[in-house]
Amino acid sequence: MISLILHRVTRVIIHILLIFSIFLLLKGHNEPGGGFIAGLMASVSIVLVYLTYDIETVKRFMPISYPAMIALGLFFATGMGLGGVVLGYPFLTQTFDYFQIPLVGEIELATALIFDIGVFLTVVGATLLIISSIGEGS
Amino acid sequence: MNLQEIIVAFFLLVGIFFIITGTVGLLRLPDFYNRIHAPTKATTLGVSSTILGAVIHFYGFPPADGFKELLAILFIFLTAPVGAHMLAKAAYHSKIDLWKDTIVDERAGKRVIGEEKMPSEEKLEKEEEERTPE
Amino acid sequence: MIGLLAIIIGFLVGTGTYLILKKTAFKVALGLVLYGQAANLLIITMGGVKLGEPPIILREAGISYSDPLVQALILTAIVIGFGVTSYLLVLVYRAYQAHDSDSVDLFEEVDDK
Amino acid sequence: MINNLAVYPILIPLVAAIIQLFFAKNTFVQRVLSVVSSALILIAVVFLYIDVRTNGIQVYWMSDWVAPFGITIVADLLACFMLFLSALASLAMSAYAMVDIDANREKYFHFPLFQLLLMGINGAFLTGDIFNLFVMYEVMLMASYVLLAHGSEARQLRGSLHYVMINLFASTFFLFGIGLIYGITGTLNMADIAVAVQNADPDTQGLLTAVSMMLFVVFGVKTALVPLFFWMPDAYPQPPVATAAMFAAIMTKVGVYSITRTFTLMFPGDEFTLTVIKIVAVASMLIGVLGAIAQTNFRRLLAFHSVSQVGFMVLGVGFFSPMGLAGSIYFVMHHSMIKSSLFLCSGIAERLTGNRDIKKMGGIIEKHPFYSALFLIAAFSLAGLPPFSGFFGKLILLFAGAELNEYIFLAAILVGGFLTLFSMVKIWQMAYWGKREPEFNKVKVGSFIWGIIILVGMSMVLAIFVQPVYDMVLEAAEQLLDPSQYINAVLRK
Amino acid sequence: MFSVLWVVFIPFIFAALTPLIQKFIGEDRIGLWGVIAALLSFGGVLSLAGYGLGDEPLYVIYEWAPTFGLTLGFYIDGLSWLFAFLISGIGVLINLYAYWYLHKPDPFGRFFAYLLFFMGSMLGLVLSSNLIILIIFWELTTISSFLLIGYWSHTERARYGAVKSILVTSVGGLAMIGGAVILTVITGTAEFPELIKKAAFIQEHALFFPILLLLMLGAFSKSAQSPFHIWLPDAMEAPTPVSAFLHSSTMVKAGVFLIARVHPIFSGREEWILLIASIGLITMVLGAYYALRKVDLKAILAYSTVSQLGLMIMALGFADVLGAKATAFHIMNHAAFKGMLFLVVGIIDHETGTRDISRLSGLRFTMPKTAVLAFIGAFASAGIPLFNGFLSKELIFEAAYDQIGVASWMAVFPVFAVVGSILTFTYSMKIFFRVFYGEEAKELPKHPHDPPFGMLFSPGLLAAVTVIVGILPFIAERFVNAATAAITQQPADFYLTIWHGFTPALWMSVVTVAIGIVLYSRKALLEVLHSKPPFGLTVNAMYDWWYPNIMLGAEKLIGVFQSQKIRFYFMYILGMVVVLCGWVLIRDGHFRFIPHDLMHAETYEYLGALAFILATIGVALFRSRLAKVISLGVVGYMLCATFIVLRAPDLALTQLLVDIVTVILFVLVIYFLPQLKEVKESLSVKIRDLAVAGLTGAFVTVFVLAVYAHRHTTSVAEYFLDNAYELAGGTNVVNVILVDFRTFDTLGEIIVLAIAGLGVYALVRMGVAHKKKKDSSI
Amino acid sequence: MIEYLALIILIIISLSIALCMIRVYKGPSTPDRVMALDTIAVNVLAFIVILSIVLGTEMFFDAVLVIAVIAFVGTVAISKYLMKGDIIE
């Protein structure tokens, strides 16, 4: 049951959606957004792809093992926390600083971003694992 | 009341007009295929102009910012028809009668794929009776 | 407003209760989702209703913000609720597959080998 | 350098789980890692205990934020005991799981899930923040949901339905409770809540009692107290034995721990609360064991016993005296060892006879006397016959009751003990006695009993060194009854 | 000092080592190991004779758990030494006997391990100076007795007997624990010497009788006093050495021992006499009566033991010196002749294959040596002069006769003592004459002949003691005096002689024997006794009714709760929440209708709330599943709008996304689920559900409002608002809380999600019904 | 001025949402209900936009964008379900 319109539209907006989700991820510290919202956003967009195409296509399009993605996400989140422990701070201590970068100007870099990326990866991995598992279970 | 406010008010009023039209259409039109026109068209327009109004309200006229909002308008224009299209297609597939306000089975015949779950004709009929909503 | 919210919470809980008392696993799952939403709403009311701006700091003096902590809590609660609900849904569907019934009662001695 | 000891019991299993996830294909690494992780936790807990004994309650500020604002990890003596138990149980279960878990389950993340379960449990013991307690509960429960249905056997799926639903339901009430507490006190840190509760005006006091009752019901569901236990007997027989034993050993105790913590730290000594707790405890003691008597399924019987035994522990909390609480903690320790070893015993019996129904077993003692002896010790210990650990657990509670002149509870304890004995004797005479020439499946019992030996051995230690152990738990109980210690440590007053 | 520990723990150690030793010396010879252990213990006991028979008792204490008054204390005086002597001495004989008695395929090692385990427990019981330690050993004897009775567990009867024994005796054991705990808490000690010092205080105490009753329940159940006597006859399913050792000469006397032990503490008050002497009396008569009615030799002996124990307990109940002395003497004598009788019965059983008195006769031709032993035992038991039983029975008669002087109603004691003795005489005669006289029995399962020397040795030795003490009683004098002194806490100095002169006791004996002979020789009279008793309800029948019915009852009770219908479980939980919390709310006056000022809201909020509520109700109301899900979607949108109204953009975003994903999930799942069936619910069920739902909804609303009225004035949230930007470098405070202030929560949250993902994956992939796409992995 | 207008519009929109609920209730077919759901999503979107004007904050526009993007994903999923095929092929 293929709908041409759906295919076309999906092909157009999927990129915008994914970019938007990255955008949500990056600005989460200062505006609404953050790892979880971004992760769900990305998942929903990939679900849209699942809805439009079939599982095999998605697999070709994105050859990712979701359990590994979950593991990676947890690794990022925990690893960030352990970094603090190694440096003599409590577990999960965050820090941030402002850097002057030529041309761009002052930007803020926070370790929280690493954590947020971990959240992002885990959420994407888990959500898609759930949905694709059910989809496949048929 | 300056010009900006007037423009905003105009857009908002247009927006709300379309929105209420869409809703009334959704409520009042006789059957599905009629009804689907109202919300998709009207609300798309209505929401777009509402957003425009808001953009002007916040960022002046012509707007200094508002990329995000304009993106939203773009998306609505892209996605709302697709949704409506899919829905209409689905409605067609589920054999919603064109002219009568028939009672519709929400999942009749969905068993095309799942062969092993294909129930007997009799059972299907029986289920159909049971399923009749409301 | 708080009265209104409390009534909505009451309705969510009441409807959730009505659903979880049903025999179908699917309905019970729905009821539990409603319960989760009631909990979220309850927590945010406890942060205070209509107290100021959204908790995104504007770096201006004299602005009062709404309670950010409850929002963070709810966010966590939503995610957890989502995870558990999805697992429950799949479990319901698998239990149906295994037993060919979506009744929520343990109609047989589950433990007998 | 700050002292990271307190957070290790949470970190080690988490890291182990992540590593195991990366080694998803290599089950050998996973197996070894789970044993190593449990052993490391055990070591860390011992050091933590020494630290707490010498330096007082250990407070650890997660993310380096001070107490009422960030999440605080608090290790007091009670937490140390619970952590010790969870580490011990997980060590024994890992040892058992090495030979018990089939390849399919191993392939689908049994070991990482087990480690995450452990992390949730340890987190629940350590956290000093009520919302974080909820989160840790959910980690633990989520892992338990998955482990319960792991394998997707038909009966597992159906048996775990109720478990998931009831616990999800109870978790919602937990959220309600947290929301209401936050509404009244404006804080989430348990020590801070305790302060706020102390300072609350009398009008609010009643509301707080009501909220605490809601929490009590929530924890009651998780612990399976009467009349909230119904999910448990259908759930615990489902998963593989090692998992079921872990559930019985430590997961129900998380609820007991939470009840203890809640009603000693946050809402201490309310007359109404204590009465409710005691009544519920007695009802659990008696009805749970009656349920056990009615069963012939080995594991269901044991699951029902947990209901009854939890009643004993909660009764100690209800006494709200140093001795009562000490008895409760001692009983928790005893029960976690004994009940898990009984579950492991049931697993071996199942393997031997291919059955779960004790009516269809028989004559195990003829072929496997040593294993039978281990079961017998555990069974009589559970029944509270001397000189095993269960006797001393009951003895402490009896003393506590007699000191408070609560003779009716004394009677309940004794009756509960008698009925427990009744059911244990029932298992013994049906499953272990019986045939002279029984026929069994070929099972290398020797490789299975190491976990049981560890646990039963520890329970014997508990019995023989009852005085030192009692002194230790009494110290913990006194610490509990003096919440200012906890509060001052957390809030750095 | 060391030797005390030695005496008690040697048997335990040897028992524990049995499986190991068995591997070395072979199963056949493991009996020797038991004999060695028993001999070592016996030697230890003998080495303590100086304390046991002297004036100064030995009192050793090893601290164990002082908080509970637990000291591993040993107190060796005349009483405990007498018991220890009997236990270890008879233990040696029993081990010897068992060495010959057991035969394949019985597992020997286990038997001797149990036996030694029992012996150690029993020694610990009698030697300990501490009430709670005594109870610990007491329960150990219960356990070992359980194991020994069930030794031949493949027979139904053995299991029945074992279960009965442990259940009945542990009722008493638990009562004892209760009594001991209360006593310890009141007095602050559980040491007998200390308790004796506080006897006056205890006797004054308000809880005197409860404590006494609880302790005595233990003693009565162990010593098989009525109505707890039912377990003892069924315990005879144990191998005969066990019956001889545990169930006649030692373990069942633990109750007597306990009564003797606490005699100085409790015996001052009238309750003592009333309780103990009367229970003893009833048991004595009843036991003898039942013994007369039985045909199984071991059953006769079992009831005979019950009766004799009653006799001793009655004598102790008199709370005087004479009673104590009589008891002490009778304990010794009974142990000797009853143990011996059991061993003889064991021989008969072993050699003929039956114990049925109606099938056996004329054995004196084939088993002459056994006949001699049986003759001694039976006559001692009957209380015929020249045997030891006569002497101690005389003493008891004397003590009973003395009671008439105390109170006139107490004349029942001597009268019924005589009645009991007549019955005893009769069945004793029956044992001997029925089995060994008359025509030679045909059709026995085996051809009877005298057993090997090893089996005759033990009963022979006991028979010798029986006769020697019967003729030369002064041999036992020191034993009895020391024990009496220990029981009464007064110095005792008696002489035991065979001839007292024409005392009332002698006349009582004469009457006993005379009526006994008449009774035995008149078949008609015997038949009256043999006929069915007029009352049908016996304790045994009660037990047999109760045992399965408690299980059935429990099943029914649990069936009521454990309906396996989750809606009831939910209702219990809800009920508990509503009742407990609601009660407190009402109590404190927080329960009220919504005040007007809280209802203030904008018009659009009212309308939105209306839509929200409509959507919520829709979830419950719609019949089609998809409509339910759609309605749920609307609820999600409305929740999102609510979050916006409450100024929570992050939440709104999250709620939206989660809502969509949840809807997709639901749709995916209902795709696989069957259609909802139109379940016709009865009106009452609907009303019930609605009532529960309405009640809970209203309750939550009220609760929220009550709490809102008492909302906090300051909260930790202010700190986050103040510091989020400066200290954590973010302006979105919610996100800063999530990833910085409360990172650990977020970590936990993603772990939950990760587990859910992995769980779903495993759930779908594992187990039943994945028929296609098995190999594809994501 | 605009704020007052916005308030009135808010009332109309919320009324409109409530009216859409009537369509959800009436059905009669599932596509009708889905359509109502879609309309409600759009209405909520407009609601948020107007509310932003009332509250004078731009923080909610992310939500607007997200609704605009994803509301139709749900519709597509349900439509595919109605089309009797696999939802995810």
Side-chain angles (χ1 to χ4, degrees), chain E residues 83 86-87 90 118-119 121-123 125-126 137-149 165-166 169 218-219 221-224 231-232 235 242-258 305 309 335:
Chain E
F83 269 90
L86 290 177
I87 292 158
I90 297 181
F118 166 76
M119 208 173 109
S121 323
M122 198 64 209
L123 285 169
L125 193 161
V126 296
F137 282 115
W138 182 284
E139 296 288 353
L140 279 180
T141 63
T142 307
I143 295 172
S144 48
S145 157
F146 171 70
L147 293 172
L148 282 167
I149 299 169
S165 83
I166 196 170
T169 48
S221 67
K222 197 75 166 176
S223 281
W231 68 268
L232 190 57
V242 174
S243 308
F245 194 26
L246 275 70
H247 304 131
S248 70
S249 44
T250 56
M251 187 182 81
V252 288
K253 295 215 178 69
V256 182
F257 172 80
L258 181 77
T305 308
L309 289 167

Side-chain angles (χ1 to χ4, degrees), chain D residues 148-187:
Chain D
L148 196 61
H150 211 226
S152 298
E153 288 164 33
R155 73 189 155 72
Q156 273 189 317
L157 293 170
R158 192 145 285 276
S160 49
L161 253 188
H162 281 194
Y163 177 75
V164 178
M165 285 173 172
I166 297 265
N167 276 298
L168 183 53
F169 184 65
S171 292
T172 322
F173 274 105
F174 199 172
L175 273 180
F176 281 3
I178 291 170
L180 297 171
I181 286 179
Y182 180 75
I184 297 174
T185 63
T187 182

Side-chain angles (χ1 to χ4, degrees), chain A residues 28-34 36-37 40 44 65-66 70 92 94 96 108 112 115-116 122 126 129 132-134 136 138, chain E residues 650 654 657-658 661 665 672 726-732 735 739-740 743 750 753-754 757 761 764-765 772 776 778:
Chain A
H29 218 43
N30 293 317
E31 280 175 63
F36 182 70
I37 294 169
L40 271 184
V44 171
S65 150
Y66 294 129
I70 292 174
L92 291 173
Q94 311 279 14
F96 67 98
E108 180 199 356
F115 187 79
D116 248 353
T122 314
L129 187 55
S132 65
S133 296
I134 310 177
E136 209 175 325
S138 62
Chain E
D650 283 281
T654 317
L657 289 160
V658 166
V661 178
L665 268 176
F672 301 110
E726 281 77 20
L727 298 181
T731 52
N732 181 357
N735 188 267
V739 298
D740 199 339
T743 331
I750 60 171
L753 207 57
Y761 180 60
V764 173
R765 287 298 189 85
K772 56 179 181 178
S776 63
I778 296 184

Side-chain angles (χ1 to χ4, degrees), chain D residues 274-476:
Chain D
L274 293 181
T275 316
V276 169
I277 291 178
K278 278 187 280 198
I279 292 172
V280 168
V282 168
S284 302
M285 272 154 57
L286 299 181
I287 292 181
V289 76
L290 281 176
I293 284 174
Q295 309 302 319
T296 56
N297 178 306
F298 204 145
R299 283 210 238 162
R300 265 175 84 86
L301 202 160
L302 293 177
F304 265 107
H305 263 300
S306 289
V307 178
S308 153
Q309 306 285 313
V310 160
F312 287 96
M313 303 165 208
V314 175
L315 183 64
V317 182
F319 283 152
F320 204 66
S321 66
M323 208 174 214
L325 275 169
S328 171
I329 302 170
Y330 186 94
F331 211 97
V332 167
M333 296 172 80
H334 139 74
H335 183 248
S336 121
M337 292 164 190
I338 289 302
K339 181 48 70 65
S340 46
S341 52
L342 282 175
F343 262 102
L344 295 185
C345 283
S346 81
I348 297 176
E350 265 169 46
R351 277 183 179 263
L352 282 173
T353 59
N355 250 309
R356 292 186 169 196
D357 196 334
I358 51 173
K359 274 191 278 188
K360 293 174 191 159
M361 298 179 180
I364 295 176
I365 193 174
E366 303 293 337
K367 290 274 167 70
H368 302 284
F370 185 65
Y371 151 63
S372 304
L374 283 175
F375 171 81
L376 191 70
I377 292 174
F380 280 158
S381 183
L382 190 80
L385 285 190
F388 307 114
S389 53
F391 170 74
F392 293 103
K394 287 199 179 106
L395 192 69
I396 300 173
L397 286 176
L398 285 170
F399 266 95
E403 272 189 345
L404 301 170
N405 294 327
E406 309 246 30
Y407 296 111
I408 203 138
F409 296 111
L410 246 62
I413 292 172
L414 294 174
V415 172
F418 173 72
L419 292 173
T420 314
L421 178 70
F422 185 96
S423 57
M424 283 298 131
V425 165
K426 181 175 151 185
I427 297 182
W428 174 260
Q429 65 126 340
M430 282 183 172
Y432 291 83
W433 277 350
K435 297 169 198 159
R436 180 153 245 175
E437 297 292 336
E439 282 176 15
F440 292 130
N441 302 331
K442 282 205 166 47
V443 180
K444 278 186 185 161
V445 173
S447 58
F448 279 93
I449 55 176
W450 289 107
I452 307 177
I453 292 175
I454 295 175
L455 292 165
V456 171
M458 280 307 292
S459 87
M460 295 299 280
V461 168
L462 219 56
I464 293 167
F465 298 101
V466 55
Q467 184 68 38
V469 173
Y470 175 76
D471 288 341
M472 281 156 73
V473 293
L474 188 69
E475 205 182 341

